Amino acid sequence: MRTIKLLLILAIFVFSFNSSMSQEVNIISINSRTSLSLNGSWKYVVDPYETGYYDYRREARDQRANPSKSEALFLGYKAQSPSERVEYDFDKSENIMVPGDWNSQIEKLFYYEGSVWYYKKFDYDLSTEANRQFLHIGAANYEADVYVNGTKLGKHIGGFTAFNYEISHLLKPTGNFVIVKVDNTRGLEKVPTINTDWWNYGGLTRDVKIVDVPATFVQDYYIQLAKNDPKTIDVSLELNGANKANQSIIIEIPKAGIKVRFITDENGKLIGQIPARNLQLWSPENPHLYEVKITHQKHEVLDRIGFRTLDTQGSDILVNGKSVFLRGISIHEENGIKGGRAHSLEDAKLLLGWAKELGCNFVRLAHYPHNENMIRVAEEMGLMVWSEVPVYWTIQWENEETYQNAEKQLIDMIFRDKNRASVIIWSMANETPVSTERTEFLSNMINTTRSIDSIRLISAALERHTQEGTKNTQIIADPLQELVDVISFNEYIGWYAGLPESCNDAVFDIQFNKPVFISEFGGGALYGYHGDKGTLWTEEFQEELYIQSTLMLEKIPQLRGMTPWILSDFRSPRRLLPEIQDGWNRKGVLSEKGDKKKAFYILQQYYDSKKLEYLNK
Ligand code: GCU
């Protein structure tokens, strides 16, 4: 089996290498680099039969030496004479805003699943000849084929992770154009798989820009406290470029009185430690961030970094050596007021502002890596973060390509946010049915995570069920509980299992001396619909459910946090009940417009009490 797997991986690598003209290049702290934004109005063409990509024999046009100018949309071609047949014209096509999903922008695309071609013309000032340029796309859901000036750069798979392709060799001073085919078609073999309880927003859903870096530039760095050592900063860094060996790198943290010089090795890398006396540590109560400056030759990269220690001890989660209770809420990346995928700084401030008002010190960014604004604003606000890859429900566990896809999304998620003090938990999965293949798949992901990041905690929404022969004894019989740092699970007693009074006789039998975290609980209510607490979908029913749920969960001695499902109502094609759901999942403690339901206040009071309880610990 192992040999077959290795041969398959090699085959995938060779195939992907041949099929994409350049490799993706991860660049850390992308928003601190010099760049030309391509955000704004783009042209788009809806192409449900992918005629711009496949010919009538279903062969990919961009694999041909001379693709047909008449139909290959990625060439961005225009007829040169009245007699020339060209069956598309981007200049005469309609406009769409980037970043942003197409579903919420264009009514005829509300339910659309398929391919859309995006087109943007731009000029570029190549004055600093020696510099290099990369095309950066913050996210494209779900699959993106990327071309600049008619040359294919690559195919990115995964709807929630950023990617960059070098375009230095392609740019001209004027008349450049970027074309991206985005395909949000769902699939059994994909990550997530074909069935999800959220809207399949397609498009260029995050920033697009051209990043301009020196010929040899700081591609990656890690600057965080060593494990359980507030007086030592671990540093690693990698240069990219021809002149990367034996280079002087200065790392400064002025407000901490730190200025240290390192030298890269022959591969342009360095690993080291910096002694740090009297650092002001980052915490939810005091989310202190330091200006960090990294200098190579005359080039600087700036960041704002928080320093904190993180560990578990028995059933306690320790931040800076102090036991914390994660007063959380789950959040989907959706702004219900303006509609569609959230992506902006304003969106992040809105959603996380609601979480702060609820009394949170923690957010579960479900069920996929959110845009970087969410992570950075959480860090500024003092919100700790659970970040998750969309290994959700019935993934094709035995499919090697599916595993490679999931693992790459995991690696890309960790790459982007490894310097963020706010992120304390990496989540491998959500509600995945236990099987030998599934547990091997997730165990491999856990091993990969630990090999990259030995500090942050690992979890996943594990499987819980009622013990046979008992009335309501809940057990976690999931092999992954041996491997995770925090035992998390979703429970819906009182909603999917019985009514709120079922909470009274529920018993949680959890044998592990590890922190227990409730990654989801809750139930639906339509904002403004009132009745007695026995009437489903009323605010009163949801209020009672929250009262009973928090009383029930308090009985778990290892309980160290929760992220009730969910902050605000969100769109889901699975929610069909007229007059109540109408395509919305109504489990928010807020409506999609931010109106507070009665359950909001129950949770807010509970968090006030937990905050006081833990202040005195
Ligand atoms: C599941 C799942 C969520 C879903 C929720 C629900 O636990 O993790 O993604 O939206 O239940 O049924 O509302």
Side-chain angles (χ1 to χ4, degrees):
M1 178 57 187
R2 174 69 55 187
T3 312
I4 295 169
K5 185 172 176 178
L6 288 173
L7 287 173
L8 195 55
I9 290 171
L10 180 63
I12 291 167
F13 177 77
V14 169
F15 172 76
S16 59
F17 184 80
N18 289 338
S19 68
S20 60
M21 301 306 168
S22 59
Q23 295 307 301
E24 295 182 9
V25 176
N26 272 339
I27 300 175
I28 196 74
S29 197
I30 198 83
N31 295 326
S32 70
R33 313 302 178 124
T34 304
S35 65
L36 170 69
S37 174
L38 296 183
N39 289 352
S41 180
W42 289 48
K43 293 294 187 178
Y44 79 96
V45 173
V46 183
D47 187 4
Y49 282 58
E50 298 186 289
T51 192
Y53 187 78
Y54 292 108
D55 65 18
Y56 78 126
R57 295 294 188 236
R58 195 75 183 160
E59 289 187 12
R61 299 178 188 277
D62 66 13
Q63 298 305 300
R64 286 266 177 88
N66 298 301
S68 154
K69 287 181 178 172
S70 310
E71 291 104 355
L73 271 78
F74 51 85
L75 295 177
Y77 187 67
K78 284 189 76 72
Q80 301 302 302
S81 72
S83 61
E84 186 174 14
R85 179 179 63 83
V86 177
E87 297 195 26
Y88 63 91
D89 186 333
F90 280 113
D91 291 336
K92 294 179 180 170
S93 300
E94 294 173 34
N95 299 318
I96 189 170
M97 292 306 286
V98 170
D101 62 272
W102 62 61
N103 314 72
S104 63
Q105 286 191 71
I106 297 159
E107 192 173 351
K108 67 185 177 186
L109 300 182
F110 182 60
Y111 279 102
Y112 179 69
E113 294 190 335
S115 285
V116 172
W117 293 90
Y118 283 77
Y119 173 85
K120 181 79 173 179
K121 284 192 283 199
F122 64 95
D123 297 337
Y124 200 82
D125 176 8
L126 288 162
S127 57
T128 45
E129 276 305 314
N131 276 16
R132 296 162 65 189
Q133 291 77 30
F134 289 81
L135 175 68
H136 168 78
I137 298 179
N141 188 46
Y142 166 83
E143 189 172 293
D145 289 274
V146 185
Y147 310 81
V148 164
N149 298 342
T151 298
K152 180 147 196 181
L153 298 173
K155 179 194 288 284
H156 179 80
I157 293 173
F160 304 96
T161 49
F163 51 106
N164 311 296
Y165 295 113
E166 182 153 12
I167 57 172
S168 314
H169 56 300
L170 297 171
L171 286 180
K172 305 175 291 188
T174 60
N176 301 288
F177 58 91
V178 56
I179 292 176
V180 186
K181 180 175 83 76
V182 183
D183 179 1
N184 74 331
T185 305
R186 292 168 293 122
L188 286 167
E189 79 289 357
K190 298 186 178 181
V191 181
T193 184
I194 201 162
N195 186 26
T196 66
D197 192 20
W198 69 78
W199 206 267
N200 180 28
Y201 289 112
L204 292 175
T205 49
R206 295 179 190 164
D207 292 341
V208 180
K209 62 175 94 173
I210 295 172
V211 173
D212 197 290
V213 291
T216 297
F217 69 97
V218 176
Q219 180 185 351
D220 187 17
Y221 58 79
Y222 173 79
I223 302 175
Q224 286 282 281
L225 282 182
K227 180 90 176 167
N228 288 330
D229 181 352
K231 296 187 183 308
T232 303
I233 296 173
D234 278 341
V235 172
S236 64
L237 179 142
E238 180 167 4
L239 292 177
N240 178 308
N243 185 22
K244 63 185 179 180
N246 308 311
Q247 293 296 300
S248 168
I249 303 287
I250 307 288
I251 296 180
E252 294 176 79
I253 312 177
K255 292 285 179 64
I258 288 172
K259 184 171 183 177
V260 181
R261 182 167 173 264
F262 293 93
I263 302 291
T264 58
D265 64 17
E266 67 278 6
N267 299 310
K269 297 181 180 180
L270 72 88
I271 294 178
Q273 292 192 320
I274 302 176
R277 287 169 292 284
N278 308 320
L279 274 178
Q280 196 174 349
L281 300 184
W282 185 92
S283 71
E285 297 74 26
N286 178 25
H288 186 78
L289 299 174
Y290 282 92
E291 303 290 338
V292 176
K293 182 164 73 170
I294 300 160
T295 307
H296 169 238
Q297 294 176 344
K298 60 183 187 326
H299 311 298
E300 295 175 354
V301 178
L302 302 178
D303 204 342
R304 287 163 48 78
I305 293 180
F307 298 100
R308 52 101 182 92
T309 63
L310 177 65
D311 204 354
T312 60
Q313 195 170 56
S315 59
D316 282 334
I317 296 173
L318 303 178
V319 174
N320 301 326
K322 189 170 180 302
S323 176
V324 294
F325 186 89
L326 305 179
R327 309 188 309 270
I329 192 75
S330 294
I331 301 179
H332 259 305
E333 191 183 47
E334 185 176 80
N335 177 333
I337 294 175
K338 74 173 189 185
R341 272 275 166 258
H343 57 79
S344 67
L345 186 60
E346 294 69 31
D347 293 338
K349 288 178 178 174
L350 175 75
L351 295 173
L352 296 175
W354 286 343
K356 286 292 280 187
E357 194 179 350
L358 186 56
C360 295
N361 63 358
F362 185 82
V363 288
R364 177 186 182 203
L365 301 186
H367 282 293
Y368 37 76
H370 285 213
N371 67 82
E372 190 172 354
N373 289 308
M374 288 293 279
I375 308 291
R376 295 256 182 184
V377 171
E379 196 168 54
E380 304 265 354
M381 287 186 170
L383 289 166
M384 295 174 280
V385 169
W386 160 306
S387 197
E388 181 166 299
V389 283
V391 176
Y392 180 94
W393 290 355
T394 53
I395 293 287
Q396 272 194 348
W397 310 110
E398 71 291 344
N399 183 326
E400 186 57 30
E401 277 197 36
T402 301
Y403 178 78
Q404 295 302 323
N405 177 353
E407 188 178 68
K408 182 167 186 309
Q409 293 190 45
L410 173 73
I411 291 168
D412 289 349
M413 172 177 76
I414 296 172
F415 178 92
R416 188 193 73 183
D417 296 333
K418 58 180 176 284
N419 292 311
R420 307 278 68 81
S422 48
V423 180
I424 66 166
I425 293 176
W426 298 123
S427 170
M428 305 294 110
N430 179 70
E431 285 190 352
T432 53
V434 176
S435 71
T436 307
E437 295 78 9
R438 165 268 197 184
T439 302
E440 183 184 357
F441 188 107
L442 296 181
S443 303
N444 290 336
M445 285 180 64
I446 290 173
N447 293 339
T448 298
T449 303
R450 292 210 192 282
S451 69
I452 301 171
D453 182 349
S454 61
I455 303 282
R456 287 182 179 83
L457 307 179
I458 291 176
S459 194
L462 305 180
E463 288 301 275
R464 163 209 52 84
H465 61 270
T466 303
Q467 189 165 28
E468 281 182 31
T470 69
K471 185 172 186 313
N472 196 355
T473 299
Q474 303 298 312
I475 60 169
I476 316 293
D478 189 324
L480 282 183
Q481 61 191 339
E482 307 272 352
L483 303 177
V484 296
D485 299 306
V486 177
I487 293 184
S488 306
F489 55 88
N490 304 340
E491 62 84 11
Y492 281 94
I493 296 170
W495 180 258
Y496 290 124
L499 294 171
E501 63 260 21
S502 309
C503 295
N504 300 331
D505 58 17
V507 172
F508 287 84
D509 179 7
I510 298 169
Q511 300 301 323
F512 277 78
N513 185 22
K514 289 184 177 179
V516 169
F517 181 84
I518 314 299
S519 34
E520 289 179 34
F521 74 81
L526 178 66
Y527 172 70
Y529 175 36
H530 295 285
D532 66 65
K533 64 182 180 182
T535 304
L536 210 65
W537 303 112
T538 61
E539 288 193 43
E540 285 72 20
F541 182 98
Q542 189 190 45
E543 178 186 43
E544 177 65 8
L545 179 58
Y546 269 69
I547 292 169
Q548 298 308 326
S549 296
T550 47
L551 288 172
M552 168 183 72
L553 295 170
E554 272 290 297
K555 296 175 195 166
I556 302 174
Q558 307 96 323
L559 182 70
R560 292 298 180 271
M562 55 176 63
T563 43
W565 193 260
I566 187 170
L567 177 65
S568 56
D569 294 352
F570 62 95
R571 284 198 183 280
S572 168
R574 300 177 73 247
R575 304 301 173 172
L576 309 173
L577 181 60
E579 300 174 6
I580 297 285
Q581 294 178 316
D582 294 317
W584 291 88
N585 183 310
R586 293 291 183 199
K587 295 189 182 68
V589 294
L590 297 171
S591 73
E592 68 276 16
K593 302 295 184 192
D595 308 301
K596 297 180 180 71
K597 302 175 190 175
K598 296 179 85 169
F600 178 97
Y601 300 102
I602 299 301
L603 191 58
Q604 190 182 49
Q605 288 159 12
Y606 175 68
Y607 281 169
D608 284 348
S609 68
K610 294 309 286 186
K611 184 175 180 180
L612 282 175
E613 178 190 332
Y614 271 75
L615 270 183
N616 305 326
K617 279 218 175 214

